[in-house]
């Protein structure tokens, strides 16, 4: 079965850039989505089709996907961006999630 | 505003059954595939099952295949997850989610319910 790998945690200072990676075999040929989950809340879609932001998601969020790695970039990270982030792709009709990256802003 | 409301969770003994429900509103429910995703305590997201817009195609994670069944009622805008043979490792918050699919063949889960907690003990 297809697997997606994310670093478990990432720390970033306010105002700096956070880059969250997601690795999978030949991931660049798949579309990748990203979800943000704050404590006690449901996941929120923040990126789809590798680099498309849903309505209401700040411009500081951007995405890319090439080769074996997809990246979610948060420019000018704010305290409100502190959350868990999950990448997601499809393996036929099955949904595959990465293990999640806990982003701490400090 | 699209809304998904999950319900039906609770405490259940190992080996017993439980049915979860998801009530959808403010969109054309019969046009969308739907999914169930769960999250164990302190763990990440795990896809459980998906069903096509008309209910003809169903897919399951290996961890629940043969024990869980997904279904839908397009007349009443509901999607269900029938869980049987429950185990401790099935304890989780269960979310229903809507799948958006674009002409580009991009697919993603754009709306999620608030989740319902299942505890197997």
């Amino acid at each position: 079965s297809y697997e997606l790998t994310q670093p478990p945690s990432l720390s970033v200072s306010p105002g700096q850039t956070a880059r969250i990676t997601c690795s999978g075999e030949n991931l660049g040929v798949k579309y990748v989505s990203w979800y943000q989950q704050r404590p006690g809340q449901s996941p929120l879609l923040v990126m789809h089709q590798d680099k498309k932001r849903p309505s209401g998601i700040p411009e500081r969020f951007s995405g890319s996907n090439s080769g074996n790695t997809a990246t979610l970039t948060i420019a000018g990270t704010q305290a409100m961006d502190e959350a868990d982030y999950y990448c997601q792709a499809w393996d036929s009709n099955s949904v595959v999630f990465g293990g999640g990256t806990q982003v701490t802003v400090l | 505003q699209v809304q998904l409301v999950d319900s039906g969770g609770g405490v259940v003994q190992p080996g017993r059954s439980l049915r979860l429900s998801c009530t959808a509103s403010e969109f054309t429910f019969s046009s969308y595939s739907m999914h169930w995703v769960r999250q164990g305590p302190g763990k990440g997201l795990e896809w459980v099952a998906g069903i096509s817009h008309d209910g003809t195609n169903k897919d399951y994670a290996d961890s629940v295949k043969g024990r869980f069944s997904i279904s839908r009622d397009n007349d009443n805008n509901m999607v269900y997850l029938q869980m049987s043979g429950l185990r401790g490792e099935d304890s989780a918050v269960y979310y229903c989610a809507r799948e958006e699919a674009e002409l580009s063949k991009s697919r993603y889960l754009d709306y999620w319910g608030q989740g319902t907690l299942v505890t197997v003990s």
Side-chain angles (χ1 to χ4, degrees), chain A residues 33 35 37 42 48-49 90, chain B residues 39 102 104 107-109 113:
Chain A
S33 301
Y35 304 87
Q37 188 180 34
S42 301
H48 66 91
Q49 201 169 331
W90 294 82
Chain B
Q39 187 170 36
E102 299 186 348
S104 62
R107 303 160 68 186
Y108 47 92
L109 305 178

Side-chain angles (χ1 to χ4, degrees), chain B residues 22-49:
Chain B
C22 171
T23 305
S25 59
E26 302 302 324
F27 67 99
T28 305
F29 180 71
S30 59
S31 295
Y32 291 85
S33 297
M34 299 294 295
H35 297 264
W36 286 96
V37 176
R38 70 183 180 184
Q39 187 170 36
K43 296 190 175 181
L45 301 175
E46 179 189 14
W47 175 76
V48 175

Side-chain angles (χ1 to χ4, degrees), chain A residues 23-100:
Chain A
S23 299
E25 184 176 352
N26 220 13
L27 184 58
V29 301
K30 299 179 183 288
Y31 284 128
V32 175
S33 301
W34 291 88
Y35 304 87
Q36 176 194 70
Q37 188 180 34
R38 296 188 175 110
Q41 295 187 14
S42 301
L44 173 71
L45 178 72
V46 296
M47 198 67 59
H48 66 91
Q49 201 169 331
D50 299 337
K51 55 185 178 182
K52 290 188 174 182
R53 274 180 296 106
S55 174
I57 301 302
E59 290 185 7
R60 63 179 180 274
F61 286 85
S62 63
S64 64
N65 183 20
S66 179
N68 295 318
T69 304
T71 303
L72 178 70
T73 301
I74 311 173
T77 306
Q78 300 181 10
M80 64 186 300
D81 299 328
E82 187 163 285
D84 293 328
Y85 292 83
Y86 296 88
C87 60
Q88 177 257 309
W90 294 82
D91 182 17
S92 185
N93 284 322
S94 298
V95 178
V96 180
F97 290 102

